[in-house]
Amino acid sequence: MTSRRQVLTQSAAILGAASTGLILPARAQNAKIRVGLMLPYTGTFTQLGVACDNGFRMALEEKGNKLGGREIEYFKVDDESEPAKGVENANKLVQRDKVDVIIGTVHSGVQMGIHKVARETGVLSIIPNAGMHAATRALCAPNVFRTSFTNSQPTRALGKVMVDKGHKKAVWITWKYAAGDEAGEGFKEGYLAAGGTIVKELGLPFPNVEFQALLTEIASIKPDAVACFFSGGGASKFIRDYAAAGLAGKIPLYGSGFLTEGLLDDELAPSAQGIVTTLHYSASLASKRNDAFRLAYAKMFKMQPDVYAVQGYDAGQLLIQGATAVNGDLSNKKALYAAMENAVVDSPRGKWTMSKAHNPVQDIYLRVVKGKENVVQGIAAKALADSGAGCKLG
Ligand code: PHB
């Protein structure tokens, strides 16, 4: 039997330990960290969602599937790249599954839903792709971090490249939604500053792929070049239709690198030769870090990684750095966020740091399609930071 005296002594010891911070609340100490993955596992961005998921899991796998010493448990929601269900799906993870962190998503419209929930509930949110400006500009938040890009980052450097090649009159074409519009903003800024003129802006609703009428219009306008934002399954269709319309090789095609990323297989590559893009990654980057990452990923998933896999992997790396700094106690938000803000992420794309608004400061590479590769030609923008306009953090 335990005497009253012993009980009192034990309680005092526990209280003492708690006041020195040695004892964590029961859940933080013992329970698994609950990781929510909210990504597109169906629809035109399926390949992107799967790659983010793979990359994230690989980073965790490399650390024995532990975060700051704690086991992890996954919860998964297919967001279908459907903005109308964004809030509901994010709430499933937060309210029903009680996740400690949401890793998601790919589509900017869906991200707005996650972002609303993240701001309202304070849940930690790590964005492995979607580039919506507001998340790291006017609506930035202490609990929201991005390991990818802002939508205007990859296209900002494209305009100068085009003008340097003598392409001064361009048509811009994209899906009409946040990602396409904001990529267009970045392109416009860079292109106009370099002395180019956008003669026509064309668009169609996401994820529509009926490009024919728009391609006929481009043929009749005869611009010096075309620049675009498309991605995933839709990008592949655009490249094929561009070639089938007889435009490939006649009117040079440029884009943010999503246009050709992860898509250059035997079937598509012949239509994609010579396409010039700008992006923060290329499979062909020559570094030990990239080689090791690519080898390990290919072994684990029996497929080749792309920029989305890298961004998912870096989301994992960032969370590991944060969780390690707080010994797995994610409720220690001040220290957690500070560690994530100060993280240097040793990425396959090259090392990068976090801007004050929680978005990567990173190099943007110039790439051209040769064979089945996006061959790196050089750096189009060094250590490019998004403006973070309107963000009051830091
Ligand atoms: C986005 O919706 O933010 C988005 C989607 C696919 C990409 C890039 C950005 O490849």
Side-chain angles (χ1 to χ4, degrees):
M1 255 190 64
T2 320
S3 72
R4 184 178 145 75
R5 191 192 170 88
Q6 269 174 317
V7 168
L8 284 177
T9 318
Q10 278 165 5
S11 312
I14 289 170
L15 278 177
S19 66
T20 56
L22 289 175
I23 288 194
L24 304 173
R27 175 140 178 249
Q29 199 174 27
N30 304 319
K32 293 181 177 173
I33 292 184
R34 301 163 81 87
V35 178
L37 294 166
M38 179 161 156
L39 292 163
Y41 297 101
T42 52
T44 199
F45 287 159
T46 304
Q47 196 180 318
L48 289 65
V50 169
C52 288
D53 181 314
N54 286 348
F56 181 83
R57 284 177 199 260
M58 185 170 127
L60 273 285
E61 190 92 22
E62 285 177 355
K63 301 288 174 198
N65 281 319
K66 286 202 168 167
L67 281 169
R70 287 172 64 192
E71 307 271 340
I72 53 173
E73 184 172 0
Y74 285 111
F75 297 83
K76 217 165 133 166
V77 167
D78 175 11
D79 69 38
E80 306 164 45
S81 293
E82 176 50 81
K85 296 186 195 161
V87 168
E88 183 191 330
N89 280 329
N91 269 328
K92 274 188 200 157
L93 290 173
V94 176
Q95 309 296 351
R96 182 192 66 192
D97 301 332
K98 311 247 178 298
V99 298
D100 297 295
V101 53
I102 298 185
I103 310 299
T105 186
V106 169
H107 184 286
S108 276
V110 180
Q111 196 67 46
M112 297 201 193
I114 297 180
H115 198 64
K116 186 168 184 288
V117 172
R119 280 169 55 97
E120 282 170 7
T121 63
V123 71
L124 178 60
S125 157
I126 304 182
I127 310 172
N129 186 72
M132 63 173 273
H133 282 170
T136 54
R137 289 194 185 178
L139 297 180
C140 70
N143 54 318
V144 176
F145 294 80
R146 180 151 46 201
T147 61
S148 50
F149 52 87
T150 57
N151 283 322
S152 57
Q153 244 178 337
T155 41
R156 190 163 302 261
L158 192 58
K160 178 159 183 342
V161 172
M162 292 170 65
V163 171
D164 285 350
K165 293 218 172 132
H167 303 142
K168 290 194 170 158
K169 291 201 164 105
V171 165
W172 168 255
I173 179 168
T174 189
W175 278 315
K176 292 298 295 171
Y177 80 108
D181 292 343
E182 292 174 352
E185 249 177 76
F187 171 64
K188 194 180 237 173
E189 261 181 55
Y191 196 52
L192 299 194
T197 309
I198 299 177
V199 291
K200 184 94 189 180
E201 293 181 36
L202 298 171
L204 71 173
F206 174 88
N208 196 323
V209 289
E210 300 309 316
F211 298 118
Q212 210 45 59
L214 299 170
L215 293 171
T216 305
E217 199 174 342
I218 289 172
S220 75
I221 295 170
K222 297 192 182 62
D224 296 343
V226 170
C228 69
F229 164 84
F230 290 110
S231 176
S236 165
K237 170 89 165 38
F238 183 73
I239 291 171
R240 271 184 280 128
D241 286 3
Y242 197 87
L247 298 177
K250 269 203 199 138
I251 304 179
L253 180 57
Y254 292 81
S256 51
F258 308 116
L259 180 65
T260 54
E261 190 63 17
L263 300 173
L264 298 171
D265 58 10
D266 287 335
E267 212 185 309
L268 188 65
S271 305
Q273 295 306 299
I275 295 177
V276 173
T277 62
T278 41
L279 197 68
H280 46 286
Y281 179 67
S282 165
S284 75
L285 275 179
S287 71
K288 276 193 184 150
R289 184 74 179 106
N290 192 34
D291 288 350
F293 166 76
R294 299 194 65 82
L295 195 64
Y297 188 97
K299 260 194 196 157
M300 192 175 289
F301 302 108
K302 311 284 176 268
M303 59 170 104
Q304 292 301 317
D306 53 20
V307 74
Y308 312 105
V310 169
Q311 293 165 174
Y313 183 73
D314 288 354
Q317 295 206 85
L318 180 68
L319 184 57
I320 289 164
Q321 290 195 33
T324 304
V326 293
N327 293 320
D329 179 11
L330 300 193
S331 69
N332 185 356
K333 293 186 177 177
K334 201 163 171 241
L336 174 67
Y337 300 161
M340 291 172 74
E341 279 166 356
N342 294 321
V344 177
V345 180
D346 188 10
S347 172
R349 75 185 93 165
K351 283 190 178 146
W352 60 266
T353 55
M354 217 33 112
S355 73
K356 285 206 165 70
H358 297 180
N359 188 69
V361 177
Q362 57 192 337
D363 294 345
I364 307 290
Y365 302 100
L366 177 64
R367 319 158 349 141
V368 62
V369 177
K370 284 190 188 153
K372 289 193 279 180
E373 275 193 86
N374 290 295
V375 177
V376 174
Q377 307 275 287
I379 293 179
K382 184 86 195 145
L384 184 67
D386 185 72
S387 73
C391 175
K392 303 254 165 24
L393 295 175

